[in-house]
Amino acid sequence: MSDIQALDEQFISGTYKRFPLTITAGHGSIAIDETGKEYIDLGAGIAVTSFGIADPQWQAAVIEQLGKVQHMSNLYYTEPGAILAQQLCERTGLRKVFFANSGAEANECAIKVARKYAADKYGTDRHVVVTLKQSFHGRTLATLAATGQDSFHETFLPLTPGFISIEPTVAALGELKSNDIAAVLIELVQGEGGVNVLDPEFVTALADYCATNDVLLMVDEVQTGNGRTGTLFAFEQFGLRPDIVTTAKGLAGGLPLGVAMFGEKTKDVLGSGDHGSTFGGNPVACAGALNIFSRIDDDLLAGVREKGAYLRQALTKMPGVSQVSGLGLMIGFSTELPVADVVAQCMERGVLLLTAKDKVRLLPALNIPQEQLEKAVAVISEVLS
Ligand SMILES: *Cc1c(COP(=O)(O)O)cnc(C)c1O
């Protein structure tokens, strides 16, 4: 164990089961450890470093803003957040945004807006948020309750009330009869839950249910957003017009930034004093996001779809691989070997992978060079053989 790893083990709360690997540098989709060994990074900091590690253009944008003003309280206006908000709205059709610092915080904001929307219109009895089994919405107390996986709950009871989770099926939807439902919160591709793409038929039925009952449709695009699935946001591929969309992870290319985006129905629900965040809309994070966002153009998105198709096809042919799932560069697959062994052996051979439940998960940078993908595919194939 290196000195850094020993310090970490001694002084950082043991919430993360880390691999024995310390990353000290990198460039693009190459991560470098403290011995100088290079790895092809197919995890991108869990879908965060959209254009890889230490991307020069992104760095320049961030450094430029650092030299102007690194933070200002939300008592005053700053430029990067205002322009980013405009771009987010213009490119999604949503109308207003609230800036937070993480995915969980973006979802907390969405949940507050759902409750206030319903309370203003129907009274406070209508406050339930429906989520899906196998979902993941964050680790704060409310988003934990929203997360439809008992394994996350067990030692943190009692859960925040007002959440129920259902199976993502048309039948389960048919059983939702109560009139205390304010909103539905879904991931269109469940990331942490095993890279499960929702059935489009279910999604359409859910959107109909929401529209008919004035229940808000909220899409958690914390992981699927910002080009990850081959469109700017995944909801475009499902033909949805959500009332609220949240995103975070890849938005600022590696700086902490979350956002809740509101449609026509919800754009004016929050008023002065209803919500806030000291760091929310931080100008440096927003400057990073402006750079990332402007580069997620049609060419890049076509590349994401092509590389995703290439990966899925290559994986499907590998020995012992089944259940290849996902959209764009958000991919999961099952193997006959235990996932932990696959990940450890690939790491040994210079390829970093992620897992999601019992699947191997790939979330490479959106601009990963094809040549690096091919090298990584060769390593995974070797390990699986
Ligand atoms: C990662 C994730 C979150 C939580 O984001 P944090 O930034 O870790 O709070 C919420 N929802 C989804 C779908 C995620 O993938």
Side-chain angles (χ1 to χ4, degrees):
M1 190 183 282
S2 74
D3 292 351
I4 295 165
Q5 291 170 15
L7 277 180
D8 182 307
E9 295 290 324
Q10 187 178 351
F11 293 112
I12 296 183
S13 160
T15 59
Y16 306 107
K17 191 161 174 287
R18 301 197 206 273
F19 292 98
L21 176 62
T22 305
I23 299 298
T24 52
H27 46 87
S29 290
I30 302 295
I32 304 171
D33 76 10
E34 56 190 333
T35 69
K37 181 176 168 183
E38 297 195 350
Y39 301 81
I40 299 173
D41 177 14
L42 299 186
I46 316 189
V48 167
T49 48
S50 302
F51 287 83
I53 301 172
D55 174 78
Q57 273 191 49
W58 169 84
Q59 258 189 72
V62 168
I63 290 167
E64 194 192 331
Q65 183 58 43
L66 269 172
K68 291 181 183 167
V69 54
Q70 81 277 29
H71 171 83
M72 187 37 68
S73 78
N74 279 312
L75 296 173
Y76 310 105
Y77 297 97
T78 49
E79 179 178 313
I83 297 175
L84 178 62
Q86 177 191 27
Q87 294 194 1
L88 284 164
C89 290
E90 287 180 356
R91 292 184 69 182
T92 59
L94 291 144
R95 301 294 304 277
K96 280 191 179 181
V97 314
F98 176 85
F99 287 120
N101 313 289
S102 66
E105 281 183 47
N107 286 335
E108 287 274 343
C109 175
I111 293 161
K112 281 180 74 172
V113 169
R115 291 219 169 129
K116 185 161 188 297
Y117 174 83
D120 287 348
K121 218 164 155 180
Y122 303 100
T124 51
D125 282 351
R126 183 150 154 162
H127 62 259
V128 171
V129 175
V130 177
T131 66
L132 301 180
K133 298 285 183 200
Q134 306 306 328
S135 60
F136 181 82
H137 297 294
R139 306 277 196 162
T140 61
L141 284 166
T143 58
L144 202 60
T147 291
Q149 302 187 56
D150 293 340
S151 59
F152 286 91
H153 298 160
E154 277 149 12
T155 49
F156 302 106
L157 302 176
L159 288 180
T160 303
F163 293 88
I164 58 173
S165 60
I166 64 167
E167 291 293 339
T169 62
V170 176
L173 195 57
E175 285 163 23
L176 271 188
K177 293 274 186 275
S178 64
N179 54 13
D180 58 0
I181 297 169
V184 172
L185 175 65
I186 58 169
E187 296 158 274
L188 291 164
V189 185
Q190 297 182 322
E192 306 307 308
V195 198
N196 315 313
V197 184
L198 292 192
D199 172 11
E201 197 190 330
F202 165 73
V203 174
T204 303
L206 184 67
D208 287 347
Y209 164 85
C210 288
T212 309
N213 296 287
D214 193 19
V215 164
L216 297 180
L217 177 60
M218 312 201 292
V219 182
D220 176 347
E221 297 233 26
V222 170
Q223 191 162 153
T224 55
N226 315 298
R228 176 56 50 192
T229 66
T231 49
L232 186 59
F233 286 92
F235 74 78
E236 298 163 43
Q237 293 178 59
F238 288 79
L240 297 179
R241 289 180 62 89
D243 297 301
I244 302 179
V245 176
T246 57
T247 194
K249 289 192 166 83
L251 177 60
L255 291 171
L257 183 64
V259 60
M261 304 187 276
F262 310 119
E264 194 58 43
K265 270 190 190 178
T266 52
K267 70 181 180 7
D268 295 318
V269 170
L270 292 179
S272 172
D274 285 331
H275 198 45
S277 164
T278 298
F279 287 117
N282 172 271
V284 177
C286 288
L290 274 171
N291 177 267
I292 297 296
F293 214 61
S294 69
R295 294 160 70 194
I296 306 177
D297 56 15
D298 290 344
D299 280 353
L300 182 91
L301 292 171
V304 170
R305 294 192 294 271
E306 271 161 34
K307 287 170 195 168
Y310 161 76
L311 270 180
R312 278 194 295 277
Q313 201 182 18
L315 289 164
T316 307
K317 290 185 200 141
M318 287 184 195
V321 166
S322 60
Q323 292 186 291
V324 180
S325 65
L327 279 181
L329 283 175
M330 181 171 181
I331 295 172
F333 61 94
S334 300
T335 66
E336 279 167 7
L337 299 173
V339 283
D341 293 359
V342 174
V343 172
Q345 287 183 42
C346 284
M347 195 172 104
E348 187 65 40
R349 291 168 206 231
V351 173
L352 302 181
L353 305 174
L354 300 168
T355 61
K357 292 229 152 159
D358 52 0
K359 284 189 171 176
V360 179
R361 177 169 49 154
L362 310 181
L363 297 165
L366 306 181
N367 67 343
I368 185 170
Q370 178 67 19
E371 179 207 330
Q372 289 173 11
L373 268 189
E374 284 169 20
K375 272 194 199 162
V377 159
V379 169
I380 299 170
S381 181
E382 202 179 286
V383 165
L384 295 180
S385 301

